[in-house]
Amino acid sequence: MQIPRECMALWREAMGSECDALLACLEEAPPVSIRLHPQKGRVLPEYPILVSWCPTGRYLSERPSFTLDPHFHAGAYYVQEASSMFLAQLAPLFREQGVKRVLDVCAAPGGKAGLLAEMLPQDGILVANEVIRSRVGVLCENMAKWGYAHVAITNNDPKDFARMSHYFDAILVDAPCSGEGMFRKEPQAIQEWSPEAVQLCAQRQRRIVADVWEALRPGGYLIYSSCTFNRLENEENVAWMCSRLGASVRPVPIDSDWGIVEQEGCYRFLPHRVQGEGFFFALLQKNGEEPLSRHKPPGAKKAMPLNRQLAPSNWVQEYYSLFAKNELVKALPSALASEMLELEIFLRVVQSGVAVARLKGKDWIPEADLALSQVMRPDAFPAVELDLTTARRYLAREALVIKDAPLGYLLIQYQGSRLGFAKNIGSRINNLYPKSGRIRMDFPNLILPKHSLNLLVIGGLG
Ligand code: SAM
């Protein structure tokens, strides 16, 4: 791998004698890892190799075709680089400190946002934001697969959050960066690298943190991470946050066996020391006294849920209320609904809660997101188990033939993983899988690679 000379100089400054071992390791294939959904992941087989710093992280021995695996579409797991799962180490801190309002300001495609959603208590709210409009769609898709209703997805510039003074208990800035830690996984990042790009990234990272700083309450946590090695975008930025914005670096518990390098109170993941890509992580705490009253956006007004007599009400669990926007009905946790709807006063909310149903003529049609969520009542629809080939055909939106299926809406499952809905109208079965998410592979003719036993099960290729 040809690393630019100026880049090597920055790496030597950041990592000294570690650089030679790092360079040798960059010639090797990157590890493949997934993060299991805490509830839905239970349908999957046991994976023997665990990611040390994330209880739901697992390594695979090779890369299967995830697109062909119905469990992937059901959100039973998310394909995520192992180092970046380190965020899971903050779960005990979140619990102890009562962290309930969290902003992920650079959220697409949503790997860390999914993890944050899991880490929050039932009365927590996650705002997952992505400034680049074209990247919001994939964030919405991934968060829908993860299925939590206490999440709002926004499309705002970081400076828009200044309006929400002291609202958040924690903010994650997983910064856009020069990507040096991803060179082996994404070699085009080497072509895009230049000393000027590093300078620009470092300035942009400071601007993002400064923009959201007002929205973080005193005593709240700023989590800063990047996937690059140079000091300008990492330790130097952290030092700037401490001195200019008023923050202190806080320790994160690590085990010495994990191979993570602690440097100036921050954490470096070096691919020759850990089974993962290059990653930088720092936990900071905003200086100042914690305010007495928290999480009260101004002008709180009570949201009016839909009548519980309405058909889709029978499809959702007690804990949720339904709200309508045009023909779409969504579910929000009842206790959080007013506050979540109020976010729309401050932010461009693209999606919040879980989409439950759409009104078409006089009919309520269940939304696929409902099937993927924790919101749905388990007995709301008769479930139909499909075999692997039929499940793939369903995901490709092909016509279905299911013997002895009851009439009406059907919950479509594969090995217990919920995929979406279909409707048996007697003469045929309508496939209701959304067009946007459908598999576009010509899978019947695909030559499938040989996989290990685990991959055979997860890929369902047997
Ligand atoms: N947190 C994501 C995850 O775990 O899946 C990955 C985030 S990626 C490292 C950085 C994100 O920052 C990208 O989605 C990018 O679109 C966004 N971004 C780019 N420029 C930005 C800016 N000026 N302000 C805020 N976010 C920006």
Side-chain angles (χ1 to χ4, degrees):
M1 188 175 290
Q2 206 58 44
I3 308 293
R5 196 171 36 82
E6 298 100 319
C7 182
M8 270 317 301
L10 288 178
W11 287 9
R12 294 226 178 269
E13 195 190 319
M15 294 172 280
S17 58
E18 299 268 343
C19 282
D20 297 327
L22 170 66
L23 275 180
C25 178
L26 294 187
E27 301 299 332
E28 294 166 15
V32 183
S33 48
I34 57 173
R35 189 166 48 75
L36 305 177
H37 191 286
Q39 285 95 36
K40 301 196 242 177
R42 292 193 193 126
V43 301
L44 299 171
E46 289 291 317
Y47 292 94
I49 318 170
L50 275 59
V51 176
S52 310
W53 45 85
C54 178
T56 48
R58 302 288 184 273
Y59 292 104
L60 306 186
S61 50
E62 52 182 310
R63 196 175 184 87
S65 171
F66 292 114
T67 311
L68 290 177
D69 181 12
H71 292 301
F72 169 72
H73 298 276
Y77 63 89
Y78 181 84
V79 184
Q80 188 171 20
E81 193 286 301
S83 304
S84 66
M85 300 178 197
F86 185 63
L87 186 59
Q89 282 302 305
L90 299 187
L93 177 87
F94 275 29
R95 272 195 303 274
E96 284 155 23
Q97 298 297 317
V99 168
K100 289 185 178 171
R101 300 294 177 268
V102 175
L103 167 64
D104 179 354
V105 70
C106 309
K112 294 182 195 69
L115 191 45
L116 285 170
E118 290 168 25
M119 285 160 60
L120 288 182
Q122 226 187 11
D123 57 346
I125 296 177
L126 171 69
V127 176
N129 178 70
E130 172 55 45
V131 67
I132 298 178
R133 180 77 225 183
S134 59
R135 290 173 61 84
V136 178
V138 68
L139 176 62
C140 289
E141 257 172 49
N142 285 330
M143 294 311 285
K145 275 189 198 164
W146 227 240
Y148 289 92
H150 60 289
V151 180
I153 296 167
T154 60
N155 173 219
N156 281 86
D157 189 283
K159 67 177 177 323
D160 298 340
F161 290 91
R163 301 168 199 155
M164 304 183 73
S165 187
H166 298 179
Y167 178 69
F168 293 103
D169 298 314
I171 298 180
L172 168 65
V173 178
D174 185 34
C177 68
S178 57
E180 294 159 8
M182 303 300 273
F183 278 180
R184 101 176 140 171
K185 233 179 144 193
E186 294 163 14
Q188 83 281 3
I190 305 179
Q191 265 66 59
E192 287 159 21
W193 191 95
S194 70
E196 295 74 31
V198 170
Q199 290 288 351
L200 277 174
C201 285
Q203 285 162 14
R204 183 168 54 190
Q205 290 148 357
R206 289 185 185 191
R207 197 170 61 236
I208 295 171
V209 177
D211 281 345
V212 295
W213 196 247
E214 177 60 24
L216 183 64
R217 71 163 167 84
Y221 294 94
L222 189 286
I223 306 148
Y224 179 79
S225 58
S226 83
C227 56
T228 208
F229 293 126
N230 69 74
R231 286 180 57 82
L232 281 93
E233 297 178 67
N234 294 327
E235 286 88 348
E236 291 187 19
N237 269 352
V238 170
W240 176 87
M241 290 170 215
C242 292
S243 64
R244 288 297 194 82
L245 300 178
S248 310
V249 175
R250 296 286 178 232
V252 181
I254 54 170
D255 191 309
S256 55
D257 292 346
W258 294 350
I260 300 167
V261 176
E262 191 195 328
Q263 197 164 296
E264 298 167 37
C266 308
Y267 303 91
R268 281 180 169 270
F269 292 70
L270 306 175
H272 59 286
R273 289 190 172 272
V274 300
Q275 231 191 314
E277 297 306 83
F279 186 59
F280 174 89
F281 188 95
L283 175 68
L284 297 100
Q285 190 170 18
K286 186 172 181 172
N287 295 344
E289 287 289 306
E290 184 181 329
L292 288 175
S293 87
R294 283 161 50 179
H295 319 137
K296 287 245 171 358
K301 64 172 186 312
K302 206 156 163 29
M304 288 302 292
L306 289 178
N307 191 331
R308 274 216 85 94
Q309 307 303 319
L310 222 57
S313 292
N314 298 328
W315 299 345
V316 303
Q317 307 208 34
E318 272 296 301
Y319 178 69
Y320 301 93
S321 299
L322 297 183
F323 296 85
K325 197 167 195 182
N326 304 324
E327 71 282 10
L328 183 73
V329 165
K330 67 178 176 185
L332 294 171
S334 305
L336 300 172
S338 295
E339 191 174 331
M340 287 186 72
L341 291 171
E342 227 176 291
L343 292 173
E344 292 171 18
I345 301 172
F346 302 93
L347 303 168
R348 194 182 311 147
V349 178
V350 180
Q351 180 176 295
S352 71
V354 167
V356 170
R358 200 172 280 279
L359 191 61
K360 200 169 174 199
K362 282 189 210 144
D363 280 346
W364 288 104
I365 302 175
E367 285 281 298
D369 291 2
L370 176 66
L372 304 179
S373 75
Q374 279 81 60
V375 167
M376 196 182 87
R377 264 186 36 201
D379 59 349
F381 301 92
V384 176
E385 271 287 332
L386 301 185
D387 61 33
L388 179 61
T389 307
T390 319
R392 286 175 177 164
R393 291 198 190 291
Y394 171 72
L395 293 167
R397 273 179 64 85
E398 290 184 12
L400 291 178
V401 179
I402 307 170
K403 264 198 181 161
D404 304 324
L407 285 175
Y409 290 116
L410 307 171
L411 175 66
I412 301 297
Q413 295 190 165
Y414 170 71
Q415 292 185 341
S417 275
R418 298 175 189 162
L419 301 176
F421 296 102
K423 189 176 186 186
N424 183 3
I425 57 168
S427 51
R428 62 168 195 273
I429 292 180
N430 290 339
N431 186 336
L432 300 180
Y433 196 71
K435 276 194 191 109
S436 56
R438 79 171 201 271
I439 302 184
R440 288 192 182 82
M441 284 173 97
D442 192 10
F443 52 84
N445 303 322
L446 194 84
I447 298 166
L448 298 167
K450 280 201 167 60
H451 289 291
S452 70
L453 189 65
N454 271 335
L455 296 182
L456 270 170
V457 181
I458 192 168
L461 304 174

